[in-house]
Amino acid sequence: MALTNGGIPAHGLPAAQVLAQLSALKEHDVRWRDGRAFTLAYSAGAEVGALADEAYRRFSSDNGLNTDAFPSLKTIQNDVVGIVSGWLNGGEDAAGFMTSGGTESILLAVKAARERGRTERSIEHPNVVLPASAHAAFEKACYYFGLQSRRIPVAADWRADVVAMRAAIDADTVLIVGSAPQYPQGVIDPIEAIAGVGAAHDINVHVDACMGGVTLTYLAMLGYRIPPWNFSVPGVTSISVDLHKYGYTAKGASVLVHRNKRLRQYQTYVTTNWLGGMYGSSGIMGTKSGGPMAAAWAVMNHLGDDGYLRLTAAARRATERLVAGIVGMAELTLRAVPEATIFSVGAVDPAQLDVFAVADALWRRGWYVDRQGPPPSLHLTVNAVHEDKIDEFLGVLRSAVDEGLQSAKTGDQGAYGTVE
Ligand SMILES: *Cc1c(COP(=O)(O)O)cnc(C)c1O
């Protein structure tokens, strides 16, 4: 009996049966716990995954909307934000909230900048100056909240062109953006220069460290030389860090940290203009599951610095070995040397090899990579689970490239996210 034909059963089905059907539904999903996905999901191993699941289960239906009723979630949020602020050199004054993900963190950073511009400078038609490489979530935020997005082409090394960004700022600019690293090519924008421009104009400067917040922190501790990117840089006003990526926590967890409470006040929303009394919320959501919050708290405390050092080192080693293998393939070209653990790859001769056909061939073999452009490229997000999978993947990639060379057929351009 199928549950997926669009109707609720007239008579409820036994729990064992619905669970069996859920398992069956997953049959064709990418096997990310086996390292088959270079995007979307991250694994620190079965033991950490089980801890996240158990913590999530215990808080899944508790509601973070009002922490008066759930002081546990208030403590959990304070602890998690405190840990992330520490990673970011936030000092005593830094203040933030947990959100449901990088997109919500970015939406709120943009909303806070708009609100500050409106309140402090009476700006009615605000704009945001950001590199072409900044995440799509900024575009979504500008669209949702009525700001103009001023996308500035990146420099030849894919980093933000700060001179061009400065030239695009005017009296209505409320925010400029840099990423550490930016998603498409995995390089770190010149945050010091961007923040200097922002400070000179006294506008918000957001650093999108959704990908890099954990990784760059621990790479620096491991001795890698990382250019300054966090609150140690004067002028940076807010930073987003996703925990459900390289924090290896359950999905639904990110943190937005502001340099101080004065800047954070523009993130929140309060109203009494209805019949239900005072309503305040820190983020986009109303009712908010405690599951992702508790899972993040549990995993971060369980891993500790030594756990994150080990996982970050493993992800970085895997990245370096993968890059070396790909550089050894004559048909492929690395877009940029990755500064963290994400990078992209194109075809040396796009007329001879369509990289999207390579992605199709990989997926037929059970491996999932992202497709992006312009220019047409494959994107790989490497995490700790990949460390012992690199040789196997490079072999599969070789055969997928060979298949791509033989087929004249062009591959599906795919999408980072979908609407169905
Ligand atoms: C993943 C990502 C986002 C968006 O985060 P979601 O958790 O997918 O909403 C934003 N910026 C960067 C750099 C990212 O990698």
Side-chain angles (χ1 to χ4, degrees):
M1 179 191 303
L3 288 174
T4 52
N5 61 1
I8 188 165
H11 302 287
L13 304 174
Q17 185 182 340
V18 294
L19 289 174
Q21 295 208 21
L22 281 177
S23 296
L25 282 176
K26 283 192 145 198
E27 194 187 337
H28 300 293
D29 291 356
V30 65
R31 285 165 41 201
W32 56 272
R33 291 183 188 82
D34 298 335
R36 299 281 181 113
F38 286 93
T39 173
L40 297 171
Y42 304 69
S43 173
E47 194 253 343
V48 174
L51 172 64
D53 290 349
E54 176 58 23
Y56 195 111
R57 190 188 65 73
R58 294 187 187 189
F59 284 81
S60 63
S61 292
D62 294 349
N63 196 338
L65 173 59
N66 187 334
T67 52
D68 286 349
F70 293 97
S72 58
L73 291 174
K74 187 181 188 123
T75 302
I76 283 169
Q77 171 159 253
N78 284 343
D79 287 354
V80 168
V81 171
I83 290 171
V84 174
S85 299
W87 287 343
L88 301 177
N89 267 301
E92 288 289 292
D93 291 341
F97 291 109
M98 293 187 76
T99 71
S100 60
T103 299
E104 189 182 359
S105 292
I106 288 169
L107 289 172
L108 292 167
V110 172
K111 184 261 187 198
R114 186 194 70 174
E115 222 66 8
R116 183 181 171 210
R118 191 182 275 171
T119 307
E120 298 182 8
R121 291 158 63 209
S122 305
I123 293 175
E124 282 176 27
H125 301 288
N127 67 69
V128 179
V129 171
L130 72 177
S133 55
H135 196 271
F138 289 98
E139 219 53 33
K140 189 176 189 175
C142 288
Y143 180 78
Y144 276 15
F145 299 140
L147 294 87
Q148 183 195 30
S149 159
R150 296 191 174 172
R151 291 270 175 178
I152 310 301
V154 292
D157 63 0
W158 304 103
R159 290 181 178 78
D161 180 342
V162 185
V163 173
M165 286 173 70
R166 184 173 54 206
I169 292 176
D170 64 18
D172 288 332
T173 304
V174 294
L175 174 66
I176 74 171
V177 173
S179 305
Q182 46 94 301
Y183 176 87
Q185 288 81 27
V187 296
I188 301 172
D189 284 330
I191 301 299
E192 284 184 303
I194 291 170
V197 169
H201 289 81
D202 194 20
I203 57 176
N204 280 22
V205 177
H206 183 76
V207 175
D208 181 2
C210 283
M211 270 298 179
V214 182
T215 302
L216 297 181
T217 297
Y218 286 98
L219 282 179
M221 282 192 214
L222 287 164
Y224 286 82
R225 286 180 49 178
I226 309 291
W229 60 277
N230 59 30
F231 287 117
S232 64
V233 180
V236 171
T237 60
S238 60
I239 305 180
S240 48
V241 178
D242 289 353
L243 301 175
H244 62 200
K245 290 175 180 163
Y246 288 99
Y248 297 97
T249 74
K251 284 288 178 279
S254 172
V255 172
L256 174 61
V257 184
H258 302 267
R259 185 175 281 280
N260 54 48
K261 282 210 165 122
R262 189 182 66 80
L263 291 165
R264 192 187 69 170
Q265 68 180 322
Y266 297 116
Q267 168 179 339
T268 51
Y269 179 76
V270 178
T271 186
T272 53
N273 190 20
W274 70 319
L275 302 183
M278 165 77 98
Y279 181 97
S281 58
S282 60
I284 307 286
M285 295 194 296
T287 290
K288 178 171 166 170
S289 171
M293 303 171 73
W297 189 95
V299 168
M300 291 163 86
N301 281 295
H302 179 61
L303 286 174
D305 277 334
D306 52 356
Y308 281 116
L309 285 167
R310 174 175 55 80
L311 292 165
T312 303
R316 178 65 196 185
R317 276 195 301 271
T319 306
E320 288 171 2
R321 286 183 45 217
L322 193 47
V323 163
I326 288 171
V327 165
M329 293 188 191
E331 302 85 355
L332 298 178
T333 178
L334 195 64
R335 295 290 180 217
V337 176
E339 294 189 87
T341 47
I342 60 177
F343 64 94
S344 60
V345 176
V348 170
D349 179 1
Q352 177 207 29
L353 179 69
D354 172 15
V355 286
F356 299 145
V358 175
D360 287 346
L362 285 171
W363 186 218
R364 280 195 291 276
R365 290 160 174 77
W367 295 78
Y368 200 94
V369 301
D370 265 332
R371 305 148 195 246
Q372 72 177 28
S377 309
L378 305 180
H379 185 277
L380 289 94
T381 299
V382 185
N383 72 82
V385 77
H386 295 121
E387 202 191 3
D388 58 1
K389 298 288 184 288
I390 298 303
D391 291 337
E392 184 186 357
F393 176 71
L394 285 171
V396 176
L397 178 60
R398 182 65 258 169
S399 77
V401 169
D402 289 340
E403 193 179 311
L405 288 169
Q406 281 157 22
S407 65
K409 139 180 167 356
T410 53
D412 185 337
Q413 178 173 321
Y416 175 119
T418 56
V419 289
E420 279 164 20

